[in-house]
Amino acid sequence: MDITVAFDPSDRTIVPHPQLVEALAQNPKEKEVFDNLSPSTQKEIVRYISRLKTEASVEKNITKAIEFLSGKGTFIGRQKLK
Protein backbone atom coordinates (compact mmCIF):
# COMPACT_ATOMS: atom_id res chain seq x y z
CA MET A 1 0.00 0.00 0.00
CA ASP A 2 1.38 3.38 -1.05
CA ILE A 3 0.43 6.56 0.74
CA THR A 4 1.19 9.92 -0.79
CA VAL A 5 0.84 13.45 0.47
CA ALA A 6 0.44 16.40 -1.84
CA PHE A 7 0.33 20.11 -1.12
CA ASP A 8 -2.82 21.85 -2.35
CA PRO A 9 -2.11 25.60 -2.65
CA SER A 10 -5.70 26.59 -3.49
CA ASP A 11 -7.19 29.34 -1.36
CA ARG A 12 -10.11 28.16 0.77
CA THR A 13 -10.80 31.47 2.48
CA ILE A 14 -14.49 32.12 2.99
CA VAL A 15 -15.39 35.78 2.64
CA PRO A 16 -18.16 36.93 4.98
CA HIS A 17 -21.36 38.08 3.29
CA PRO A 18 -21.37 41.91 3.03
CA GLN A 19 -24.70 42.09 4.88
CA LEU A 20 -23.22 40.11 7.78
CA VAL A 21 -20.26 42.48 7.94
CA GLU A 22 -22.65 45.44 7.93
CA ALA A 23 -24.89 43.90 10.61
CA LEU A 24 -21.91 43.27 12.88
CA ALA A 25 -20.67 46.84 12.33
CA GLN A 26 -24.09 48.16 13.36
CA ASN A 27 -24.17 45.98 16.49
CA PRO A 28 -20.89 46.50 18.37
CA LYS A 29 -21.84 44.31 21.36
CA GLU A 30 -22.69 41.40 19.08
CA LYS A 31 -19.51 42.04 17.06
CA GLU A 32 -17.50 41.73 20.27
CA VAL A 33 -19.24 38.44 21.11
CA PHE A 34 -18.56 37.21 17.55
CA ASP A 35 -14.88 38.16 17.82
CA ASN A 36 -14.62 36.22 21.10
CA LEU A 37 -16.13 33.02 19.66
CA SER A 38 -13.74 30.27 18.72
CA PRO A 39 -12.38 30.58 15.18
CA SER A 40 -14.23 27.41 14.17
CA THR A 41 -17.56 28.80 15.38
CA GLN A 42 -16.91 32.10 13.59
CA LYS A 43 -16.12 30.18 10.42
CA GLU A 44 -19.25 28.08 10.82
CA ILE A 45 -21.45 31.21 11.00
CA VAL A 46 -19.68 32.90 8.09
CA ARG A 47 -19.81 29.77 5.93
CA TYR A 48 -23.49 29.15 6.68
CA ILE A 49 -24.58 32.68 5.75
CA SER A 50 -22.24 32.93 2.75
CA ARG A 51 -23.71 29.79 1.18
CA LEU A 52 -27.36 30.85 1.36
CA LYS A 53 -28.96 31.24 -2.04
CA THR A 54 -31.66 33.91 -1.70
CA GLU A 55 -31.50 37.42 -0.27
CA ALA A 56 -34.55 36.64 1.87
CA SER A 57 -32.69 33.71 3.46
CA VAL A 58 -29.62 35.85 4.00
CA GLU A 59 -31.60 38.60 5.72
CA LYS A 60 -33.57 36.16 7.88
CA ASN A 61 -30.47 34.27 8.99
CA ILE A 62 -28.43 37.40 9.68
CA THR A 63 -31.24 38.52 11.98
CA LYS A 64 -31.12 35.12 13.69
CA ALA A 65 -27.32 35.31 13.96
CA ILE A 66 -27.45 38.75 15.61
CA GLU A 67 -30.11 37.49 18.04
CA PHE A 68 -27.91 34.46 18.78
CA LEU A 69 -24.90 36.71 19.43
CA SER A 70 -27.00 38.86 21.77
CA GLY A 71 -28.00 35.75 23.74
CA LYS A 72 -31.65 35.81 22.68
CA GLY A 73 -31.93 32.77 20.46
CA THR A 74 -30.38 29.71 18.91
CA PHE A 75 -28.58 29.53 15.57
CA ILE A 76 -27.07 26.79 13.40
CA GLY A 77 -27.93 24.14 15.96
CA ARG A 78 -26.23 25.93 18.85
CA GLN A 79 -27.86 26.77 22.14
CA LYS A 80 -28.28 30.33 23.39
CA LEU A 81 -25.09 32.06 24.41
CA LYS A 82 -24.85 33.08 28.04
Side-chain angles (χ1 to χ4, degrees):
M1 176 193 304
D2 290 336
I3 298 175
T4 61
V5 177
F7 175 69
D8 181 3
S10 61
D11 184 18
R12 290 189 170 78
T13 303
I14 300 171
V15 179
H17 196 284
Q19 289 181 13
L20 176 61
V21 173
E22 182 180 331
L24 289 172
Q26 292 175 359
N27 297 282
K29 290 179 184 176
E30 288 75 8
K31 168 82 166 109
E32 183 178 346
V33 172
F34 180 82
D35 290 342
N36 288 320
L37 293 173
S38 68
S40 63
T41 304
Q42 290 178 17
K43 183 178 179 180
E44 185 177 5
I45 292 170
V46 168
R47 181 186 308 145
Y48 182 82
I49 292 174
S50 295
R51 291 185 176 170
L52 293 171
K53 303 222 184 276
T54 66
E55 285 302 309
S57 293
V58 170
E59 291 172 12
K60 180 178 98 173
N61 282 281
I62 287 175
T63 300
K64 287 176 73 173
I66 295 299
E67 288 175 359
F68 169 73
L69 294 169
S70 66
K72 297 179 185 173
T74 60
F75 187 63
I76 56 175
R78 297 196 177 265
Q79 298 299 318
K80 291 182 184 180
L81 295 174
K82 297 177 183 184

